[in-house]
């Protein structure tokens, strides 16, 4: 008699899932398992661009702190912010002599 426990079922499901991941492209896996995001570009200290390792989907942080797909409008906004903050970081502050 085969005793089915939670651990054996979980182990079987994980093995099946691993074998499926080898054959299914990321475009099919991400809707079910979620994206595996890595930071692809640091725009500012609090705004980043991300890219999914599986499907290549690009996302960015919004002003509300949510993740959105990286559209051309967001890409343009991020480029402006990156340029602005880079110039701001490199700006030299001259202290006045007293």
């Amino acid at each position: 008699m085969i005793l089915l426990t939670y651990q054996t079922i979980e182990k079987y499901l994980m093995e099946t899932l691993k074998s499926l991941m080898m054959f299914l492209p990321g475009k099919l896996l991400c809707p079910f398992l979620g994206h595996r995001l890595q930071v692809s570009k640091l725009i500012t200290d609090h705004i980043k661009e991300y890219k999914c390792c599986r499907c290549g989907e690009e996302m960015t942080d919004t002003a509300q702190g949510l993740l959105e797909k990286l559209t051309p409008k967001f890409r343009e906004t991020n480029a402006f912010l990156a340029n602005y903050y880079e110039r701001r970081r490199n700006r030299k502050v001259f202290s006045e002599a007293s």
Side-chain angles (χ1 to χ4, degrees), residues 7-91:
Q7 288 83 13
T8 56
I9 294 171
E10 183 180 20
K11 183 179 177 183
Y12 173 75
L13 288 175
M14 290 305 291
E15 289 174 3
T16 306
L17 185 63
K18 285 180 185 177
S19 63
L20 278 175
M21 288 177 66
M22 294 171 69
F23 298 107
L24 290 176
K27 295 262 186 201
L28 296 175
L29 282 177
C30 288
F32 298 109
L33 301 177
H35 293 284
R36 185 178 291 169
L37 298 174
Q38 289 184 337
V39 176
S40 60
K41 187 176 181 184
L42 291 170
I43 305 299
T44 66
D45 293 336
H46 55 281
I47 297 177
K48 300 171 183 70
E49 287 183 3
Y50 304 93
K51 187 170 186 176
C52 179
C53 299
R54 292 187 191 125
C55 66
E57 181 87 33
E58 293 182 315
M59 297 186 180
T60 187
D61 294 319
T62 63
Q64 292 82 19
L66 303 173
L67 284 176
E68 288 284 333
K69 288 185 179 179
L70 190 61
T71 61
K73 181 72 173 175
F74 276 125
R75 195 180 302 272
E76 181 182 340
T77 304
N78 286 351
F80 173 79
L81 284 173
N83 186 18
Y84 175 78
Y85 278 98
E86 186 65 31
R87 284 185 291 140
R88 189 172 174 191
R89 270 184 254 158
N90 292 335
R91 184 171 53 195

